[in-house]
Amino acid sequence: MPTQAIQNLEITNFKCFKDLKVSGIGQVNLIGGKNNVGKTAFLEAVELFLNSKTASDLIFMFKTILKRRQNEIKYCEVDIFYSNEKEITLSTPHFKSCRIKRLSDYIDNSASIGDRGLPTEGLSFFLKEANGNEDEKSFPSYLFTKPETYDFHIDFWKNFSGIITYISSAKLKEQDIAILLGKLIDVDREDLLNKSLSSFDSNIITIKQIATQQGVVLKLKLKNQNNLVLLSSLGEGVNRYIAIICAIWANKDGFLLIDEIENGIHYTNYKKLWEIIFEASVAANCQLFITSHSKECISAFNDIQFENDKCDAQYFEFYKNLKTGLIDASGRDKEQLRYALTHEGRIRGE
Amino acid sequence: MSNNLLIVESENDKLFIERLKQEITTADFDIDTPACTISDYECLGGLSLTALKKKLIEIKFDIAKKGLDKIGILLDADNKGIEARVKLVDDAVKSIDQELTVSASNTWYRSAALDVQISCHVLNVNGSGELETLLKSIKSKDSGHADCLTAWKNCLFTNGKAISDKDFDKFWLSVYLRYDGCTDAEQKQAGRQCNLEASLKKDLWDFSHACLDDLTRYLRTFNPQH
């Protein structure tokens, strides 16, 4: 397991989660469930938690998550508190805890934004690490809600590597894939990628980065074709497959979040995809959190759970508990998941 | 949709209970996907502890997802008897609630941890048997073809080739469905017209037979007013 891997996570008052405890988290974690049960919100909570090593990181990730969902909107709303609650906590016992709190008093923000500052509503960001170190910063709320303040021009933003740890359900930009590919080449795993690409699509021989004056363009060498073919001209499935493999290696000794992994990928390739994910996650020491709506994709995941015993892979079902009215998560081991899949089990919140 | 769920062993159990339910207007339960599929090696000798445990673990998720109030387990006595089958249920429920004890059939036990009531009923005729034994007892039409199998069974015994009661009852039922319960025309499409599902739509069974009294009484206990 990665050095920063988490085995459990407790989430309070974050988005749709009033009180969620997830235990038994493994190296590769697949999450299923109906719409609006918090699968993506869980990925965001994990991202917020694992990407934050200081209170400033927490502020940055808070903003990133808000912007990702609301990037088309001129006015950005702080919508990550459950109901009207005032305090979010994300914690792993004996590891670390994060807290984001609505301040009941106005804060004086003149120190953070100069003489423009006036007492204003704020948010407090607190982080406590396993070694006992504590860090806290308060920040005016309005800085999160106006798009022109996106960059903040504050030094601590520069500490971030910019490496993608979250692959959304939408198609990735080619520039982002190129950066991830660069990281994979850095760790000398290009051969592995090309080999798995051939397995994914037998027509693909290799991927090439072509530097142009406008930036890097990705091209593929295909069988029986003399000219290289633009990656962007191929289907979404190949783009996503490449992005996922590269992102695992780009996040060596870290973690990766993938939303709706099956998007664009043909079902006959699911097993190959899981094979490479299981192998790469162990080799790159990368912990993965992945969501899926597809039963075929979950079945393929379960098949590989039985074939690869080196990777600790877990399945979690998110659902609304009708007795408590809250969202819960339950883990199934590989035997139980197989039983459910072969006995019309309701593994996706049905 | 009901908040009560009945677990059954096989697809035939499900078909039979669905039909019997039509006779009991006050029965308030849904029937779950059978615990055993036709290809389950774990169920070849009847419902096993492993298969029932796996089923109950799946149902445990449903308690919260569907807000279940009552869970009933219907299983065959087989040749093991009622007491042994209740013991099997008791062992299996421990996989979802260590504190829960099921010590008798037809009795509801409350699981505080799961906020649900659990019970079981054992299908039997005089303390043993399974669905086929029960069906054999409640047949309502002439069973001349099927009954001749008794002579065949005796012949086997005389020749030192015994057949178990369980296998005999299954064989008897097949012959009753196909030769006593189907017309010549239906027999030409025996796969569709002479199976159990089709037979339950015909007048081949006496659903008011005394052999079903215990079972119907049990199914009525799912009613919230019970």
Side-chain angles (χ1 to χ4, degrees):
Chain A
M1 295 282 278
T3 48
Q4 69 177 95
I6 48 172
Q7 279 85 47
N8 51 65
L9 184 63
E10 297 183 10
I11 302 170
T12 311
N13 296 329
F14 180 79
K15 291 203 159 185
C16 52
F17 305 126
K18 168 75 179 154
D19 184 14
L20 180 76
K21 292 180 176 65
V22 183
S23 56
I25 295 172
Q27 175 101 38
V28 175
N29 303 283
L30 180 60
I31 298 150
K34 280 184 176 175
N35 292 120
N36 301 320
V37 291
K39 297 188 298 296
T40 305
F42 179 71
L43 295 189
E44 289 173 342
V46 170
E47 184 183 29
L48 194 62
F49 184 75
L50 287 180
N51 253 339
S52 302
K53 294 179 179 62
T54 65
S56 301
D57 296 344
L58 204 52
I59 295 168
F60 178 79
M61 288 314 304
F62 184 86
K63 181 77 179 178
T64 302
I65 287 168
L66 289 182
K67 289 296 294 181
R68 188 188 294 139
R69 285 220 186 187
Q70 303 181 50
N71 59 359
E72 300 299 325
I73 305 171
K74 294 274 186 203
Y75 175 78
C76 189
E77 196 170 306
V78 176
D79 67 341
I80 72 166
F81 287 85
Y82 177 85
S83 190
N84 289 321
E85 296 293 338
K86 297 190 181 324
E87 186 171 317
I88 292 168
T89 58
L90 309 171
S91 64
T92 289
H94 316 299
F95 181 38
K96 75 173 185 184
S97 64
C98 303
R99 187 189 71 211
I100 301 168
K101 194 175 172 183
R102 287 185 202 272
L103 295 173
S104 52
D105 298 325
Y106 287 90
I107 63 165
D108 179 358
N109 62 11
S110 55
S112 60
I113 57 172
D115 56 10
R116 284 193 297 136
L118 288 170
T120 183
E121 285 182 4
L123 292 164
S124 154
F125 296 84
F126 171 83
L127 191 137
K128 184 176 180 181
E129 292 213 78
N131 59 14
N133 287 347
E134 294 184 2
D135 188 16
E136 185 168 14
K137 276 191 169 66
S138 296
F139 222 67
S141 299
Y142 77 84
L143 283 176
F144 294 103
T145 59
K146 291 183 178 174
E148 64 268 23
T149 62
Y150 180 55
D151 293 329
F152 291 7
H153 303 297
I154 295 172
D155 285 346
F156 57 70
W157 281 182
K158 294 170 189 167
N159 295 335
F160 270 80
S161 64
I163 286 299
I164 289 169
T165 53
Y166 185 100
I167 297 179
S168 78
S169 53
K171 189 175 178 178
L172 231 65
K173 290 177 191 159
E174 183 164 332
Q175 187 63 24
D176 289 334
I177 300 176
I179 293 168
L180 292 172
L181 179 60
K183 284 285 171 185
L184 178 122
I185 293 167
D186 261 356
V187 291
D188 197 22
R189 298 286 166 167
E190 208 175 354
D191 286 351
L192 186 144
L193 174 65
N194 287 328
K195 196 175 143 196
S196 71
L197 270 174
S198 300
S199 155
F200 185 80
D201 182 338
S202 56
N203 280 321
I204 301 173
I205 298 171
T206 183
I207 186 166
K208 305 268 187 195
Q209 287 178 301
I210 314 293
T212 70
Q213 285 183 329
Q214 285 74 37
V216 174
V217 175
L218 298 178
K219 291 188 175 181
L220 294 169
K221 183 165 175 55
L222 303 180
K223 275 183 190 167
N224 305 321
Q225 274 193 251
N226 294 327
N227 298 332
L228 296 176
V229 176
L230 282 168
L231 175 64
S232 56
S233 69
L234 273 77
E236 189 185 339
V238 176
N239 279 265
R240 197 160 177 78
Y241 188 79
I242 292 169
I244 289 168
I245 297 168
C246 293
I248 292 172
W249 283 102
N251 289 288
K252 192 172 179 300
D253 300 320
F255 69 96
L256 179 66
L257 315 163
I258 306 170
D259 203 9
E260 294 179 23
I261 188 167
E262 71 273 18
N263 280 6
I265 294 175
H266 193 266
Y267 77 95
T268 54
N269 275 324
Y270 290 159
K271 274 190 77 169
K272 287 172 195 162
L273 178 65
W274 286 120
E275 270 172 15
I276 189 75
I277 285 177
F278 276 42
E279 283 170 20
S281 67
V282 172
N285 194 31
C286 177
Q287 189 174 33
L288 275 83
F289 297 85
I290 301 163
T291 71
S292 176
H293 283 125
S294 159
K295 189 174 178 184
E296 284 162 326
C297 191
I298 297 167
S299 284
F301 169 85
N302 188 231
D303 288 344
I304 304 304
Q305 275 185 304
F306 281 91
E307 288 174 21
N308 183 332
D309 56 7
K310 288 184 183 147
C311 180
D312 175 18
Q314 300 295 332
Y315 179 76
F316 295 93
E317 180 186 17
F318 278 50
Y319 58 90
K320 185 160 187 179
N321 185 325
L322 290 185
K323 296 208 172 192
T324 62
L326 303 178
I327 289 169
D328 275 346
S330 292
R332 274 184 180 80
D333 63 28
K334 62 183 179 184
E335 299 279 354
Q336 192 64 35
L337 181 58
R338 172 150 291 178
Y339 177 85
L341 287 164
T342 53
H343 290 74
E344 298 177 44
R346 298 162 284 263
I347 54 164
R348 295 170 295 167
E350 304 96 317
Chain B
M1 282 285 280
S2 171
N3 287 343
N4 305 322
L5 194 70
L6 180 67
I7 299 172
V8 294
E9 282 191 37
S10 68
E11 192 60 39
N12 275 354
D13 291 334
K14 185 175 180 180
L15 293 169
F16 175 68
I17 297 295
E18 274 169 352
R19 174 64 187 85
L20 182 60
K21 199 179 160 191
Q22 293 170 16
E23 305 287 322
I24 319 165
T25 50
T26 55
D28 175 23
F29 60 85
D30 289 333
I31 306 167
D32 197 35
T33 315
C36 296
T37 63
I38 202 159
S39 55
D40 274 347
Y41 69 90
E42 281 169 348
C43 294
L44 288 176
L47 184 63
S48 68
L49 180 62
T50 308
L52 186 55
K53 276 182 175 176
K54 284 179 179 171
K55 185 68 187 175
L56 285 171
I57 292 169
E58 282 306 303
I59 300 293
K60 186 181 175 184
F61 298 122
D62 288 343
I63 295 170
K65 279 191 286 182
K66 294 175 180 290
L68 295 179
D69 294 324
K70 287 182 173 176
I71 298 166
I73 303 163
L74 187 71
L75 68 172
D76 296 333
D78 292 326
N79 58 357
K80 297 181 177 72
I82 295 171
E83 206 175 310
R85 302 311 266 171
V86 173
K87 174 76 169 58
L88 176 89
V89 172
D90 186 49
D91 290 343
V93 296
K94 297 283 190 291
S95 63
I96 57 170
D97 181 357
Q98 279 285 341
E99 305 299 315
L100 185 63
T101 297
V102 174
S103 51
S105 60
N106 306 323
T107 308
W108 290 100
Y109 296 90
R110 174 153 200 84
S111 162
L114 302 171
D115 188 20
V116 75
Q117 293 187 73
I118 295 179
S119 71
C120 71
H121 176 84
V122 184
L123 286 181
N124 74 95
V125 176
N126 300 322
S128 63
E130 45 273 302
L131 176 66
E132 288 77 4
T133 322
L134 205 59
L135 288 168
K136 196 174 154 210
S137 302
I138 66 162
K139 61 100 184 175
S140 63
K141 292 290 175 200
D142 175 66
S143 52
H145 288 89
D147 289 344
C148 282
L149 290 170
T150 308
W152 171 74
K153 184 183 176 185
N154 291 337
C155 175
L156 285 180
F157 183 74
T158 308
N159 288 290
K161 292 176 180 167
I163 181 170
S164 71
D165 288 345
K166 182 174 181 164
D167 287 343
F168 179 78
D169 287 348
K170 285 183 189 300
F171 200 20
W172 183 95
L173 181 65
S174 300
V175 174
Y176 179 68
L177 295 180
R178 182 158 184 162
Y179 295 101
D180 296 313
C182 271
T183 62
D184 289 347
E186 285 173 331
Q187 284 180 39
K188 288 175 183 165
Q189 293 180 305
R192 283 196 298 119
Q193 306 279 2
C194 305
N195 58 26
L196 180 66
E197 186 174 12
S199 85
L200 291 167
K201 292 171 188 157
K202 301 174 189 172
D203 188 21
L204 290 178
W205 314 105
D206 175 10
F207 288 104
S208 61
H209 196 283
C211 275
L212 296 178
D213 286 354
D214 272 359
L215 176 59
T216 50
R217 237 190 324 272
Y218 171 69
L219 296 178
R220 284 197 181 96
T221 66
F222 280 90
N223 190 317
Q225 287 162 357
H226 180 268

